[in-house]
Amino acid sequence: MGSGVLRAHRAANALFDPAFPFPDVPYRVRRGYHPGGDAADSLLLEDFINPTGTSSYGLPNTTGGTLSVEHTALSGHDPSLSGAWIHDVVAGSSTFFQSNWSSVGTGFDLTGYDTLDLRADRSWGSDPTEASFLVELVNADDTRSSAVAIDEFLELGPPPRGGTTLPAARIPLSSFSGATLASVRGVRLTFTTPLDGNSLYLANIRATRVTTEALAASGQLASVASSAAPPASRARAAGTTLPEQRRIVAGNAIQSVRSSGADAVEITLTSAEFFDLRATNLVLTVGTERSIAARHPNGDLNTVQFLLPRAAFDRLGAQEPVTVDYGPGSSVVWDFGHLDKTALAP
């Protein structure tokens, strides 16, 4: 293989590396990445391999506020992969999980590394709103760096089709002002905003070097990067123009509105243009209420049935607009006119 071809292949590695921007595309791409190599390129900080409450270096981890943390095998991944299930989270400024790698007064030297890497994903839930939490480095003297919001580096919307993929965030260590990088003893995650379902999964916390050749020296590290976020998120970060949204108005119908038990309403919608399967979930919006609890009866992609909580249905006005799309930045939206609440059948 000629050297020119080899260089081209190495440059293409930036497509996989969440430290670099992803080309503008009208759909979500989740990226997981590890630079490989030994501790010189990737220093293990926390892999959740010890019993719950104990860090990978045998020290007690700490928590604050109301939340539960369990070390567990992660369903749908290699059986050897362990992670933390953080659940029953009551959001607040004092609600946190802290992984401790070193005792107070000592710390790891991270000055030879470029990024703090971690993998995270929401558990299944019905709210399409992106979740977030704050990340801080803990210095040897137990002071903490500035807080970095994870949603600048990792999109935490509902996992595609309900399956956790654990995309990776690569946060430049330079983002943590006030960090004493020569002596860092831990990392703290603070949950100041609610999580849908009150839980998320966390794995593989590392200090890493950016090893993608040529680009590593170019300063092209991205802010919103680890999953090519939907176009709306990218545009917010980069100030770019969104691709034009296609609105489908013909051939759409609200087929039925029925009670589904005492606690939900089933809304069945049909369209002449089928609802194509994507990595992101379909989102029903009726007025200000939303749902991603959807199914295609008998596999019919021209029909979709959503479940809307009865309490949400009761909050609706008599005539509310109805649309279906793929969430924030969706390149297509189906318009179904207005929902007549009096059409509700038992």
Side-chain angles (χ1 to χ4, degrees), residues 40-319:
D41 290 332
S42 176
L43 177 63
L44 187 157
L45 300 175
E46 178 64 88
D47 265 358
F48 306 100
I49 52 177
N50 282 328
T52 296
T54 305
S55 77
S56 294
Y57 290 91
L59 297 172
N61 289 330
T62 51
T63 61
T66 302
L67 81 170
S68 297
V69 181
E70 297 179 35
H71 296 186
T72 183
L74 298 172
S75 176
H77 296 268
D78 188 287
S80 66
L81 178 64
S82 295
W85 178 36
I86 301 175
H87 58 97
D88 295 319
V89 176
V90 177
S93 59
S94 60
T95 301
F96 69 88
F97 163 74
Q98 181 172 310
S99 172
N100 297 313
W101 324 315
S102 185
S103 301
V104 176
T106 64
F108 287 9
D109 184 356
L110 306 186
T111 55
Y113 299 92
D114 300 304
T115 66
L116 177 77
D117 293 9
L118 61 84
R119 300 173 68 190
D121 213 343
R122 275 173 48 183
S123 60
W124 174 247
S126 60
D127 187 351
T129 305
E130 293 180 28
S132 187
F133 54 84
L134 302 177
V135 184
E136 299 168 282
L137 295 179
V138 183
N139 297 319
D141 62 2
D142 237 16
T143 59
R144 301 195 303 274
S145 72
S146 61
V148 176
I150 194 66
D151 56 17
E152 289 297 315
F153 300 92
L154 183 65
E155 183 202 37
L156 282 175
R161 304 294 174 184
T164 57
T165 56
L166 291 169
R170 307 193 76 192
I171 307 172
L173 289 170
S174 59
S175 299
F176 297 101
S177 61
T180 306
L181 293 181
S183 190
V184 177
R185 66 174 297 263
V187 65
R188 177 177 291 200
L189 311 182
T190 303
F191 302 95
T192 58
T193 56
L195 297 171
D196 184 38
N198 300 318
S199 68
L200 88 160
Y201 295 97
L202 182 68
N204 300 134
I205 303 176
R206 298 279 197 281
T208 66
R209 293 178 59 228
V210 175
T211 56
T212 303
E213 222 171 81
L215 294 175
S218 70
Q220 295 184 39
L221 295 181
S223 56
V224 178
S226 70
S227 49
S233 298
R234 289 201 308 278
R236 285 197 304 269
T240 56
T241 302
L242 295 179
E244 184 177 351
Q245 186 180 69
R246 186 166 66 93
R247 199 168 191 90
I248 301 168
V249 297
N252 301 334
I254 302 174
Q255 186 179 82
S256 64
V257 183
R258 300 181 181 278
S259 295
S260 179
D263 300 323
V265 172
E266 180 188 82
I267 300 175
T268 302
L269 308 170
T270 62
S271 177
E273 183 160 341
F274 72 92
F275 305 97
D276 51 317
L277 299 177
R278 299 189 182 185
T280 52
N281 299 288
L282 286 169
V283 179
L284 169 72
T285 302
V286 186
T288 59
E289 306 296 336
R290 292 184 291 181
S291 173
I292 59 171
R295 72 182 189 95
H296 299 285
N298 301 315
D300 179 7
L301 295 182
N302 291 95
T303 302
V304 61
Q305 291 178 335
F306 286 93
L307 284 180
L308 190 66
R310 183 58 189 255
F313 182 84
D314 290 342
R315 288 193 294 266
L316 296 173
Q319 295 280 335

Side-chain angles (χ1 to χ4, degrees), residues 1-17 20 33 211-216:
M1 180 180 292
S3 60
V5 175
L6 182 60
R7 283 195 298 272
H9 284 197
R10 286 173 175 168
N13 195 41
L15 290 173
F16 301 94
D17 187 344
F20 299 94
Y33 185 87
T211 56
T212 303
E213 222 171 81
L215 294 175

